[in-house]
Amino acid sequence: MTLFDSPAFEGHESVQAFHDEKTGLRTIIAVHSTVRGPAAGGCRMWPYPSSEAALEDVLRLSRAMSYKNAMADLELGGGKSVIIGDSRTEKSPALFEAFGRAVEQVGGRYWAAEDVGTSPADMVHARKATRFIAGLDGHRAASGDPSPVTAEGVFRGLVLAARRTFGGGLDGLTVAIQGVGHVGGFLAGKLHAAGAKLVISDVNAEASNAVAAATGAKVVEPDVIFDAPAEVFAPCALGGAITLATLERLKVKVVAGGANNQIASPEAGRVLFDKGLLYAPDYVINGGGITNVASEIRALDRSEAFDPAWVETKLARLMQTLDEVFDRSIDERRPTHVVADEMARARITAARG
Ligand code: NAD
């Protein structure tokens, strides 16, 4: 893969790779845009099969953060980092301290937080080496784990999409959730409390069994989730759940979930729309977590305490934005994700002045 020619590169400001010999850290930090403010986005730890796969992933995720932060109306640009490694066996405090040193070298143009494979506990070690880490517990500006706020945004967005499609609440509807980790697990609890029936899958049986015990959800094998008789599909695992093949199998009318990069290809995006499914664009509906993180960055910059009311105001505004995306998609007869991309780019361009 050549860097500048990659479709995922799309105007990145910087892409830096760091290696720490002592801890074995290999990390890539991508800053897509700082036009709206310093770039902010999570740090993903994953056993990528190659450095090319890691690079491709960080570029796609970083650009998506620019769009996500713009749609959440945050004064932040977009960036992301990946650590190449197995989060179950290769984590250590020293590794995350080395990651913190890498973030420090980016000089405040990138703020990191947790993502798939990393946790607030890991980021505590990173913070020893840099102040540009958010999503932590234990200080007055701290916003804690963003996952419950992400799940709250996904829940509200899912309710909005379901109301538009089925004309009522969640009572009696079945939601199929792929992946019940942090976001999917919290989402399952909220959907259950709102009266939805649940079908869930997770490659980690411990996670799916725990959620099933708490919510009465039916557990199915990971590959079978696409065939589940359900009204709503909520992808909450990794990216790429919506493919031409899975679209053949999905019986739902709404796709609304927390995962990033849900649509695997432009063709899949087109078919999703042509089949008449209502898709809540991933980076819009899952913007609650970064909003929570943004509140911490804001509080740290102003030496203030964490302000949950600010988060709630932004979350309510995010749902209005999602509603606007749905409206424009109907008016313009264009897919929701195409409309959202255009709105995000317009917001970034407007900030450039
Ligand atoms: P997580 O690691 O806690 O949960 C992901 C779950 O998906 C895990 O339990 C994992 O075992 C499961 N999984 C992986 N592959 C699967 C498959 N093929 N089928 C079924 N289950 C599978 O991560 P998370 O923090 O809950 O994040 C989930 C998704 O939401 C990711 O795409 C992440 O980028 C996105 N996201 C998370 C946040 C947040 O606040 N945590 C914010 C925005 C977006």
Side-chain angles (χ1 to χ4, degrees):
M1 171 191 175
T2 53
L3 181 57
F4 294 110
D5 300 333
S6 159
F9 184 76
E10 198 200 90
H12 266 77
E13 290 180 12
S14 66
V15 183
Q16 287 163 279
F18 299 88
H19 175 232
D20 180 66
E21 203 168 346
K22 214 161 144 199
T23 59
L25 173 77
R26 286 178 299 156
T27 184
I28 307 174
I29 302 178
V31 172
H32 178 256
S33 168
T34 57
V35 168
R36 292 177 59 92
C43 168
R44 178 168 293 193
M45 185 166 184
W46 195 254
Y48 292 101
S50 66
S51 47
E52 272 160 7
L55 178 61
E56 182 80 25
D57 205 32
V58 77
L59 290 175
R60 284 198 314 148
L61 292 166
S62 158
R63 182 185 54 191
M65 286 310 302
S66 282
Y67 288 15
K68 182 187 302 199
N69 293 341
M71 291 301 263
D73 195 25
L74 305 173
E75 288 178 0
L76 293 172
K80 198 89 180 184
S81 52
V82 293
I83 294 176
I84 302 171
D86 189 332
S87 63
R88 288 167 304 181
T89 55
E90 294 179 54
K91 278 186 179 181
S92 70
L95 181 97
F96 281 96
E97 213 172 315
F99 171 71
R101 288 196 294 277
V103 171
E104 180 66 16
Q105 285 187 57
V106 186
R109 293 175 54 256
Y110 169 66
W111 283 77
E114 56 273 19
D115 192 64
V116 176
T118 63
S119 68
D122 301 324
M123 291 300 147
V124 166
H125 300 296
R127 193 133 204 270
K128 291 177 198 155
T130 183
R131 74 181 186 87
F132 301 112
I133 302 285
L136 293 185
D137 299 313
H139 60 92
R140 69 192 267 279
S143 60
D145 180 2
S147 308
V149 187
T150 302
E152 176 62 22
V154 173
F155 172 73
R156 291 188 199 181
L158 190 155
V159 169
L160 187 67
R163 195 180 310 124
R164 278 177 167 259
T165 307
F166 307 108
L170 296 179
D171 237 344
L173 296 187
T174 300
V175 182
I177 309 178
Q178 182 195 38
V180 284
H182 289 97
V183 175
F186 284 117
L187 177 66
K190 289 170 190 291
L191 293 170
H192 172 63
K197 287 187 236 138
L198 301 176
V199 181
I200 61 172
S201 74
D202 200 297
V203 289
N204 173 3
E206 231 172 87
S208 46
N209 289 340
V211 169
T215 63
K218 180 179 177 202
V219 179
V220 297
E221 288 300 312
D223 188 50
V224 179
I225 195 74
F226 306 106
D227 306 310
E231 281 75 31
V232 181
F233 177 52
C236 295
L238 296 179
I242 305 297
T243 65
L244 293 176
T246 60
L247 279 167
E248 290 274 321
R249 295 164 58 190
L250 283 167
K251 295 167 180 61
V252 300
K253 286 263 170 257
V254 171
V255 176
N260 284 312
N261 296 328
Q262 291 171 24
I263 300 180
S265 65
E267 296 75 34
R270 259 194 304 278
V271 172
L272 179 69
F273 178 68
D274 290 344
K275 285 189 137 193
L277 276 69
L278 181 57
Y279 168 62
D282 43 18
Y283 64 82
V284 183
I285 194 172
N286 73 15
I290 193 66
T291 301
N292 204 51
V293 170
S295 73
E296 182 171 326
I297 295 173
R298 182 174 177 272
L300 285 169
D301 275 349
R302 296 166 171 226
S303 301
E304 288 175 358
F306 173 65
D307 180 3
W310 184 88
V311 176
E312 175 50 41
T313 304
K314 287 285 182 191
L315 206 54
R317 174 86 193 93
L318 183 63
M319 290 306 120
Q320 287 170 1
T321 299
L322 181 61
D323 217 18
E324 194 183 328
V325 171
F326 288 153
D327 277 341
R328 281 186 51 176
S329 165
I330 294 167
D331 292 349
E332 299 167 16
R333 293 177 195 197
R334 294 192 304 151
T336 51
H337 62 286
V338 173
V339 169
D341 280 0
E342 200 172 280
M343 281 170 68
R345 278 195 289 266
R347 288 183 179 196
I348 295 167
T349 305
R352 199 172 273 132

